[in-house]
Amino acid sequence: MADQAEDVVSWKTVTPGITVVTMKRPPANALGIALLDGLHAAMDAAERAGDVKVMVIGSAQPGFFAAGADIKHLSSIDAESFTEYGDKMRAVNDRLAAAGWISIAAIDGIALGGGLELALACTLRVAGSAAQLGLPEVKLGLIPGAGGTQRLPRLVGRGRALDIMLTARQVPADEAYRIGLVDRVTDGDVLATALSFAEQLVGPSLPAQLAVIRTVDAAFDTPLADGAQFEIDQIQALFEDGEAAEGITAFVGKRAPQFR
């Protein structure tokens, strides 16, 4: 029987504002159609709820975050279907990257190919000390096609990104942390570490946090003067829409702010 989206992806609210999305397609969370549909369904649910501030994406498969594209599926399709499959992978990643919440990839084990591209689309990445990350598509006569060639250099720089992609090697967690591919590494429980990280993120103003993300991303895509103007526009908008007023008033009044 073919995989069903609800069987290979689940999600739940663990504390107010924090949702955990779990991939659970044996044996290695290959990114088949059902799993991709399940990730879309999880994001649909978060949008309907309207109160998600942090989404943690993890795995129920021991030793794997996600092994990458579904190679068996790729071996049985034509060029038109390959385009459709690639579009579906890109749609998940692009939607996640542009979501109205912060996302954390909890990488406990292997994250290769499309699995790493999914993690790269997240705002932040937490890895276990045994994690291995890579974009080995050149071994299949392909290149990363779901954002990897664009997002990886923005994190680690051109030379390091080329090293990782041209050699098709697996990057261990300690190196991934050193070069900025992951943001935190733990010897303990990866999901628990990611949730602790999420708890630190859930308190501040989400509109302000999203403005920080937009402004930092603009630094990679615009000249300095344009980026500085974008920063001005973002902070002005936060002041004018009342979010900053609440934060400032709460600080002066020595109370907890009630952010949106």
Side-chain angles (χ1 to χ4, degrees):
M1 186 175 67
D3 291 329
Q4 300 296 314
E6 60 270 21
D7 296 328
V8 294
V9 176
S10 63
W11 57 91
K12 64 178 180 179
T13 299
V14 292
T15 59
I18 300 175
T19 289
V20 173
V21 177
T22 304
M23 298 179 290
K24 49 182 183 176
R25 185 191 183 201
N29 287 331
L31 298 174
I33 298 299
L35 196 151
L36 296 171
D37 286 342
L39 291 171
H40 271 303
M43 289 187 278
D44 288 342
E47 289 177 354
R48 286 194 300 270
D51 58 357
V52 176
K53 297 190 71 174
V54 185
M55 176 180 285
V56 176
I57 300 180
S59 166
Q61 301 307 124
F64 290 92
F65 175 73
D70 189 335
I71 304 301
K72 288 185 179 179
H73 178 70
L74 292 181
S75 70
S76 65
I77 59 177
D78 57 18
E80 182 178 353
S81 297
F82 178 76
T83 298
E84 293 172 354
Y85 177 64
D87 287 345
K88 184 174 283 288
M89 289 184 66
R90 286 184 286 273
V92 167
N93 292 348
D94 291 347
R95 184 179 179 188
L96 181 61
W101 53 78
I102 298 167
S103 53
I104 302 174
I107 306 170
D108 192 2
I110 300 295
L112 297 178
L116 179 53
E117 289 179 300
L118 174 64
L120 291 172
C122 291
T123 315
L124 299 159
R125 284 149 294 282
V126 173
S129 57
Q132 298 281 330
L133 303 89
L135 294 173
E137 282 83 353
V138 294
K139 285 187 174 180
L140 299 176
L142 295 167
I143 68 170
T149 66
Q150 303 305 299
R151 292 190 174 101
L152 183 61
R154 285 167 164 77
L155 287 177
V156 305
R158 180 180 184 273
R160 286 169 173 160
L162 289 175
D163 172 349
I164 292 166
M165 288 185 282
L166 296 181
T167 64
R169 69 186 179 90
Q170 295 185 18
V171 180
D174 58 346
E175 180 187 354
Y177 177 70
R178 188 172 68 250
I179 66 177
L181 178 51
V182 301
D183 304 290
R184 298 191 181 184
V185 174
T186 179
D187 291 323
D189 185 285
V190 177
L191 181 59
T193 301
L195 287 173
S196 177
F197 198 177
E199 291 285 357
Q200 296 175 46
L201 295 165
V202 81
S205 161
L206 180 59
Q209 290 170 318
L210 296 177
V212 167
I213 295 167
R214 290 192 297 269
T215 308
V216 169
D217 287 345
F220 292 91
D221 300 321
T222 60
L224 177 58
D226 292 342
Q229 183 58 56
F230 186 69
E231 178 184 85
I232 292 169
D233 295 341
Q234 293 292 302
I235 193 170
Q236 184 69 23
L238 288 166
F239 190 84
E240 291 177 359
D241 73 5
E243 193 73 354
E246 169 58 18
I248 293 167
T249 301
F251 180 82
V252 172
K254 298 181 180 181
R255 60 171 175 80
Q258 300 297 313
F259 290 126
R260 296 199 305 274

